[in-house]
Amino acid sequence: MQFFEKTAAEQEKFQQHIQKLEQVVDQISFLSKEDTSAIRQLKESFQHKIHDFYREDRKLNIGIIGQVKAGKSSFLNTMIFNGQDVLPRASTPKTATLTKIEYADENSIEIVYYSPEEWQQIEERAKVQSELEEYRVARDILQLAQSHYIDVETYLNKGKETVTFSTETDLMRELNEYVGENGKLTALVKYVTLKINNPHIKEISIVDTPGLNDPIASRTDKTKQFMEVCDVVFFLSRASNFLDQTDMDLLTSQLPQKGVKRLVLIASRYDEGLQDTIYDFDSLEEADADTKKSLRRVAMKNINSYIEMMEKRNASQTLLNVLKECATPIFVSSMAHNMSLKTESNYSKDEQIVYNNLNEHDDLDEEMLQYIGNIAEVQQVFHEVIEQKEQTLLEKAKAFLPLAQQQLATEISNIATLQKRRLTMLIENDQESLEKQKNAIKTQIQQIQAATTSIFTDLFAKLEACKTEGTMSLRQASKDYASLNERTGVETETRSYTVSTSKWYKPWTWGSSSTEYYTVETRYYYLDVSDALENLRNFGHDAVSTVEQAFLDAVDFHQLKRRLLTTVVENFDTSSEYYEPAYFKLLTEKTIQAIEIPVVKIDISGYLTKMANSFSGEVRDASSKTEMRNKLASYISDLFDEISNQFVQEMKSFKEKMAIIDTTFTEQLLKTITDEYETVLAQFKDKEQEIHRLREGLNVLESLM
């Protein structure tokens, strides 16, 4: 292909860099594997990227990135499969499987299973009675496998297999078995490649990722491998919780540094953002304008803050340009777009709720649904990136070497800093003084633990306050939705009377008559069963939203991160050799990422069915009205009890997880620092020889810098 011929001359330079990496690894072989692992990984990563880039069938790699529940699968179903639910939604990390989509003449699914070694690791983690995400998800995976009575060993030994299909309906059925939430083999699948005969994706390879914070290590590794060769990223952030701390960590920690050439920010599930604000305005159009203005302000603030930080670190202009490009989000609602292609009678339950909420001012029509969906704008961007494939890849080729050289220089500098620290400690201290320092560190860590415990104590108090406030809101909502307003109807009755038509001067008309007609309107009052059903739906929706909002109000991620960092700075000896701001920031960010807002689900279908079976249409007589009101109040009361109990249980579980995070935060600090002290203390067994070795090593490292 002509494009690859143009860049083939670069291969010699790339090979020279690989040789340099090999030389560096060889020259620092006197160091431990732990100290040199980062540089060894650089070589593997660089070789992987070059091998991928110079394949003759190299496509444009497009990543769909975002948290679980950001709407990635729905987004792709709308973009590629005309709104059909081909790609199952991942409701939890354990079902969030990496799915790659590419063109092929024959439709098929290639499934890659966990290896026996990876499954053994999952089994070992499942034995750990901890509520940390990686252990909890391991238990969930085993439980899912056991629930389907799978012969695990058979599939693990397969490694991978390919299943063909003829229609998209067959695809939906087959794919759900491997990656669906309750799929028979979902628990055993690491990732899948979906090959479909769709000419629109001939030039591209699309990956629906589970996210870089996936607790399954092997799936995270696979995602990171893909990110190494990703060219364009569509980053989805849920409009109702736009660019929260986890989103910003995901957006800024991995994507641009990996060589992504274009980053498109999507405010996904935009209909939810509108539903949050529509009651504050007199029209849907006004709510739309204000919501977009607010979300654009959030994007501009968060992205610009990150750009300023990267400028201070002398980041490349290429990286800054990629970031600036995503400061203006595209607003997308896959649901609204799909609704615009249907009649209201064909809406699903979820779509009907969205329609009712967005149609608060009776101004929602097909045109407005298409406008809210805004799929055309994203499709245009898709077409643009495909048309610009050659230029994008050419720019990426030019950036390979500078980026790789910068990464190598950074890692060598990090290793040299570590060696200098160890040399200084050996020269300036004896074993006794180092033991004292190690004990002093433990004291400082204990002080930090006391302070962080105070932070989490405040969080627990806030959670209790939000629980009380949330319960009060639920109780008030239950009262509001338990009442029904009567509607007024009008019945028109036609009546008649007889009129004489005889005339005295016309004898032949004597005794004749005619009938005259007139109408009488009678007002009556009734209850509409559709109002009762809507009250049940709206209470269920509002109750879940109230619970989730209670958690969000209690856990201010930005403030929690800032307080934890401030606590470390105030309680740790910042003049110490072991005070590393970047490390403490990373550890704090990982702590925040481990916090997952509980998801509360409630099934109201049973209540809706019972109400619909008991009444229909207009209810007029007094006894039926009373019965209908009583049943609605009873159902709302039962729903209130159900959601309140879930609320209490989720709050209890959430607090337990926070208590674990409170403990492990300082434990990780202590372990990392004391491990380093133990390394240096071990070197005292042959102090002079170790000093000599470290000095020689530093000379080698400085010659490489």
Side-chain angles (χ1 to χ4, degrees):
M1 297 175 69
Q2 187 178 3
F3 169 75
F4 292 98
E5 291 173 1
K6 288 180 182 178
T7 59
E10 298 289 337
Q11 293 189 63
E12 185 176 350
K13 294 181 180 179
F14 295 154
Q15 189 58 40
Q16 289 174 356
H17 183 69
I18 291 172
Q19 290 173 356
K20 182 175 181 179
L21 285 167
E22 290 173 346
Q23 291 170 2
V24 170
V25 170
D26 183 61
Q27 288 175 292
I28 62 174
S29 60
F30 59 88
L31 297 172
S32 68
K33 288 185 178 180
E34 289 77 12
D35 290 341
T36 61
S37 62
I39 292 181
R40 296 176 192 275
Q41 288 172 7
L42 282 182
K43 177 189 170 184
E44 294 174 7
S45 171
F46 189 73
Q47 287 177 315
H48 174 61
K49 285 191 286 188
I50 297 303
H51 173 73
D52 172 85
F53 189 79
Y54 284 98
R55 287 185 294 109
E56 288 188 0
D57 62 344
R58 176 61 152 86
K59 299 173 183 285
L60 188 74
N61 292 327
I62 298 178
I64 311 299
I65 307 294
Q67 297 184 55
V68 174
K69 295 184 70 177
K72 301 188 295 295
S73 297
S74 297
F75 175 76
L76 281 174
N77 282 332
T78 300
M79 294 293 298
I80 301 175
F81 301 107
N82 298 318
Q84 293 190 66
D85 288 333
V86 173
L87 299 175
R89 300 175 186 178
S91 60
T92 67
K94 71 173 182 290
T95 63
T97 303
L98 186 146
T99 304
K100 195 172 183 178
I101 307 168
E102 292 184 347
Y103 171 83
D105 293 332
E106 183 181 24
N107 297 321
S108 65
I109 309 169
E110 184 180 273
I111 305 102
V112 177
Y113 298 104
Y114 289 115
S115 67
E117 294 76 18
E118 288 169 333
W119 190 255
Q120 184 179 358
Q121 184 184 49
I122 291 173
E123 289 179 325
E124 289 173 355
R125 288 184 176 181
K127 294 175 183 177
V128 179
Q129 294 304 309
S130 168
E131 284 304 312
L132 290 177
E133 191 73 6
E134 60 184 302
Y135 303 112
R136 184 170 60 82
V137 172
R139 293 196 296 271
D140 288 345
I141 287 177
L142 284 186
Q143 185 178 0
L144 184 59
Q146 292 165 359
S147 68
H148 289 287
Y149 303 100
I150 305 171
D151 182 3
V152 174
E153 189 174 346
T154 298
Y155 291 97
L156 300 184
N157 291 332
K158 280 185 178 183
K160 66 179 181 180
E161 66 176 317
T162 300
V163 178
T164 59
F165 59 92
S166 55
T167 67
E168 288 184 355
T169 301
D170 293 335
L171 165 62
M172 291 168 64
R173 181 176 61 254
E174 292 287 349
L175 190 60
N176 191 68
E177 284 297 294
Y178 297 102
V179 298
E181 183 174 4
N182 294 307
K184 179 181 177 181
L185 299 172
T186 296
L188 309 183
V189 176
K190 187 158 64 172
Y191 63 94
V192 300
T193 299
L194 176 59
K195 298 180 179 180
I196 58 174
N197 190 342
N198 183 336
H200 296 298
I201 63 170
K202 267 191 174 182
E203 296 295 318
I204 59 178
S205 177
I206 303 173
V207 170
D208 178 11
T209 67
L212 296 174
N213 54 348
D214 192 311
I216 306 301
S218 56
R219 288 199 314 221
T220 299
D221 289 342
K222 190 64 187 175
T223 302
K224 288 183 177 179
Q225 286 176 25
F226 172 74
M227 292 308 303
E228 293 283 354
V229 298
C230 194
D231 308 308
V232 179
V233 161
F234 287 80
F235 186 90
L236 274 63
S237 177
R238 195 170 175 176
S240 57
N241 200 26
F242 192 52
L243 287 183
D244 63 10
Q245 187 58 52
T246 302
D247 273 342
M248 288 306 298
D249 291 336
L250 186 58
L251 181 65
T252 60
S253 64
Q254 290 286 343
L255 304 183
Q257 295 89 329
K258 294 297 182 185
V260 174
K261 305 309 296 178
R262 183 166 185 184
L263 194 54
V264 182
L265 178 59
I266 305 289
S268 59
R269 302 176 67 161
Y270 176 58
D271 56 280
E272 293 180 359
L274 278 176
Q275 291 178 70
D276 290 341
T277 60
I278 192 167
Y279 299 104
D280 298 328
F281 298 91
D282 295 328
S283 70
L284 181 55
E285 185 177 353
E286 290 180 15
D288 170 71
D290 187 82
T291 303
K292 286 179 177 174
K293 180 180 178 181
S294 176
L295 295 180
R296 286 191 185 105
R297 193 183 305 121
V298 171
M300 193 68 68
K301 177 184 176 183
N302 289 3
I303 299 298
N304 284 346
S305 295
Y306 181 64
I307 289 174
E308 289 176 8
M309 182 180 71
M310 295 306 294
E311 285 176 334
K312 292 177 182 177
R313 296 181 182 178
N314 298 317
S316 69
Q317 191 59 47
T318 301
L319 168 57
L320 297 176
N321 290 340
V322 170
L323 291 169
K324 288 175 182 176
E325 193 174 8
C326 75
T328 304
I330 299 175
F331 304 94
V332 171
S333 168
S334 301
M335 179 173 283
H337 174 79
N338 296 337
M339 289 167 62
S340 72
L341 306 178
K342 305 177 183 179
T343 60
E344 187 180 349
S345 60
N346 291 323
Y347 286 167
S348 67
K349 289 182 179 179
D350 289 343
E351 289 172 339
Q352 187 63 56
I353 291 172
V354 171
Y355 178 82
N356 292 339
N357 291 338
L358 292 182
N359 199 34
E360 171 70 13
H361 307 294
D362 297 322
D363 52 0
L364 182 62
D365 53 21
E366 178 184 329
E367 183 179 354
M368 194 63 181
L369 281 169
Q370 289 181 349
Y371 172 75
I372 294 170
N374 199 30
I375 292 298
E377 184 175 356
V378 186
Q379 289 174 330
Q380 182 179 347
V381 176
F382 256 93
H383 294 318
E384 286 176 4
V385 298
I386 294 172
E387 290 173 0
Q388 297 167 2
K389 171 189 172 183
E390 184 169 331
Q391 182 63 30
T392 298
L393 295 181
L394 182 60
E395 290 177 2
K396 185 160 188 171
K398 291 178 180 178
F400 272 149
L401 201 54
L403 178 61
Q405 290 169 337
Q406 181 182 353
Q407 289 175 328
L408 175 59
T410 299
E411 292 302 335
I412 292 175
S413 176
N414 290 341
I415 294 172
T417 299
L418 179 61
Q419 300 306 307
K420 285 178 184 178
R421 178 186 301 154
R422 290 174 179 172
L423 179 60
T424 301
M425 292 180 69
L426 277 172
I427 293 173
E428 297 182 355
N429 297 277
D430 54 27
Q431 284 181 292
E432 185 180 354
S433 62
L434 281 181
E435 286 287 358
K436 287 181 179 179
Q437 286 184 35
K438 188 174 74 170
N439 292 332
I441 289 290
K442 289 183 178 179
T443 301
Q444 291 183 43
I445 294 293
Q446 289 171 355
Q447 292 173 349
I448 293 174
Q449 184 173 20
T452 56
T453 297
S454 175
I455 293 173
F456 283 95
T457 298
D458 292 345
L459 174 61
F460 296 152
K462 196 170 182 181
L463 282 167
E464 282 300 320
C466 288
K467 183 179 78 171
T468 301
E469 186 177 342
T471 303
M472 290 175 61
S473 297
L474 284 174
R475 193 177 301 280
Q476 183 58 50
S478 70
K479 293 178 181 178
D480 295 339
Y481 286 115
S483 62
L484 283 174
N485 293 324
E486 289 190 337
R487 293 175 177 263
T488 302
V490 176
E491 281 186 333
T492 302
E493 181 184 357
T494 301
R495 298 180 181 178
S496 63
Y497 60 93
T498 302
V499 179
S500 173
T501 57
S502 63
K503 306 293 182 182
W504 65 270
Y505 52 86
K506 296 178 180 180
W508 63 87
T509 65
W510 291 352
S512 65
S513 63
S514 66
T515 302
E516 296 289 335
Y517 296 91
Y518 67 99
T519 59
V520 176
E521 290 187 347
T522 304
R523 293 184 178 276
Y524 65 93
Y525 300 94
Y526 67 95
L527 296 178
D528 195 327
V529 70
S530 64
D531 289 342
L533 296 173
E534 184 176 2
N535 278 16
L536 284 168
R537 291 192 196 97
N538 288 340
F539 178 66
H541 179 270
D542 287 359
V544 170
S545 298
T546 296
V547 172
E548 291 183 351
Q549 192 60 48
F551 283 105
L552 290 172
D553 289 343
V555 186
D556 185 329
F557 289 96
H558 179 73
Q559 184 188 46
L560 182 59
K561 177 180 173 181
R562 179 179 54 78
R563 288 189 67 187
L564 287 173
L565 280 172
T566 301
T567 298
V568 171
V569 173
E570 288 179 349
N571 291 279
F572 201 90
D573 180 7
T574 56
S575 64
S576 166
E577 287 287 334
Y578 291 97
Y579 176 68
E580 294 182 13
Y583 166 72
F584 289 125
K585 181 175 182 294
L586 177 63
L587 182 57
T588 304
E589 287 174 347
K590 286 184 177 179
T591 300
I592 300 299
Q593 288 176 10
I595 301 175
E596 184 179 280
I597 296 299
V599 177
V600 178
K601 295 183 179 180
I602 186 165
D603 184 7
I604 64 169
S605 58
Y607 299 105
L608 293 173
T609 300
K610 287 190 287 187
M611 180 63 77
N613 289 340
S614 300
F615 305 94
S616 62
E618 298 177 353
V619 178
R620 299 190 189 185
D621 67 275
S623 62
S624 296
K625 286 181 185 179
T626 300
E627 183 184 358
M628 184 172 170
R629 283 194 169 103
N630 289 340
K631 284 199 172 185
L632 176 62
S634 174
Y635 295 159
I636 292 288
S637 176
D638 290 345
L639 275 171
F640 171 77
D641 291 341
E642 188 176 337
I643 196 74
S644 295
N645 290 335
Q646 281 195 44
F647 191 9
V648 171
Q649 291 302 316
E650 290 292 348
M651 185 66 75
K652 179 182 177 183
S653 176
F654 187 70
K655 287 171 70 175
E656 290 173 353
K657 293 174 185 177
M658 291 299 97
I660 292 172
I661 290 174
D662 178 19
T663 302
T664 56
F665 178 69
T666 48
E667 284 180 352
Q668 289 180 62
L669 279 175
L670 181 60
K671 184 179 185 305
T672 301
I673 297 172
T674 54
D675 282 354
E676 185 61 25
Y677 269 99
E678 293 298 338
T679 299
V680 178
L681 284 166
Q683 293 172 336
F684 270 93
K685 293 177 181 178
D686 200 341
K687 180 176 180 180
E688 293 305 319
Q689 184 177 339
E690 287 294 335
I691 290 175
H692 177 72
R693 188 181 66 83
L694 285 169
R695 280 175 172 162
E696 283 191 339
L698 279 171
N699 289 334
V700 173
L701 290 166
E702 287 171 358
S703 70
L704 296 172
M705 293 171 68

